Amino acid sequence: VPAAILRIARNVSIRRRGVLIGICLTGSYSTGHICGRSDVDLIGLIRGDKSYREYYNESGYDVDLFLFSETFAETAIARGRGDIVIMLDRGIIIEDTDGRLENLISLAKRRFEAGPSRDDRQLQFIRHRLVTVLDDCSDCIEASPATAVMIMVSHLKMIADVKLSNHHLWDLPYK
């Protein structure tokens, strides 16, 4: 981990002393897939029941700080919230005061390896949206091809999620 990134994480720790349980680096800096637009993604495990997100610039780096309560993170992992599971699965611990962040990361790794459940409501919702989008596109393709393309592009992520989830390829190291 670059020294500048460690300083940013340690600054978060200093600013939130007494509230922060642990902090980890995630995203492109944790996977090594850094590009010119990469921001610094940090997850802070905090005391209390509130969870929130901050976005700011520090030392020339855009920082995306996710602050999760332990209960929120555990619930999100149990429900298979893909974004949180993936972020924690790829997390590199910077500071962990009592091992709770390490336990959450282990839990996320096990959940990630298990893959989505077959009766997952999120997957059912995505399938429904995919059918709706395809229907919408078929309705407007002749009258407005540009609109049909825009509809397809705006829902590409959902289509990819369905395809990758169904073929258990959703753990590939790219966004």
Side-chain angles (χ1 to χ4, degrees), residues 3-157:
I5 305 303
L6 287 174
R7 272 193 304 280
I8 292 169
R10 294 232 160 76
N11 287 342
V12 170
S13 180
I14 290 167
R15 286 192 301 268
R16 294 200 167 53
R17 191 167 310 278
V19 176
L20 192 71
I21 297 167
I23 189 163
C24 72
L25 177 66
T26 188
S28 56
Y29 277 94
S30 71
T31 62
H33 297 108
I34 304 161
C35 69
R37 298 180 319 270
S38 292
D39 59 358
V40 178
D41 298 296
L42 296 170
I43 294 177
L45 186 63
I46 56 174
R47 289 172 177 47
D49 59 358
K50 298 202 186 266
S51 296
Y52 53 98
R53 182 177 183 181
E54 295 178 4
Y55 197 79
Y56 58 94
N57 189 288
E58 183 175 329
S59 303
Y61 291 90
D62 290 326
V63 179
D64 202 354
L65 175 62
F66 301 86
L67 296 161
F68 298 143
S69 72
E70 192 171 14
T71 304
F72 175 82
E74 287 172 344
T75 303
I77 292 167
R79 291 184 179 164
R81 286 248 340 248
D83 51 348
I84 294 171
V85 171
I86 290 170
M87 287 191 304
L88 285 169
D89 175 63
R90 300 208 167 99
I92 297 173
I93 295 174
I94 304 294
E95 184 178 317
D96 189 3
T97 58
D98 58 9
R100 288 192 278 177
L101 181 57
E102 183 179 4
N103 290 339
L104 272 177
I105 288 175
S106 294
L107 185 63
K109 286 182 184 305
R110 286 193 303 276
R111 180 66 178 100
F112 187 80
E113 289 167 3
S117 61
R118 289 293 170 205
D119 61 350
D120 185 37
R121 287 185 212 169
Q122 250 181 344
L123 190 56
Q124 291 174 3
F125 172 74
I126 291 169
R127 285 183 178 142
H128 170 74
R129 289 296 304 250
L130 177 58
V131 170
T132 302
V133 166
L134 292 173
D135 188 47
D136 290 347
C137 286
S138 68
D139 291 344
C140 70
I141 191 74
E142 289 180 18
S144 177
T147 302
V149 169
M150 187 174 69
I151 291 170
M152 288 302 291
V153 169
S154 69
H155 290 83
L156 184 59
K157 184 187 180 309

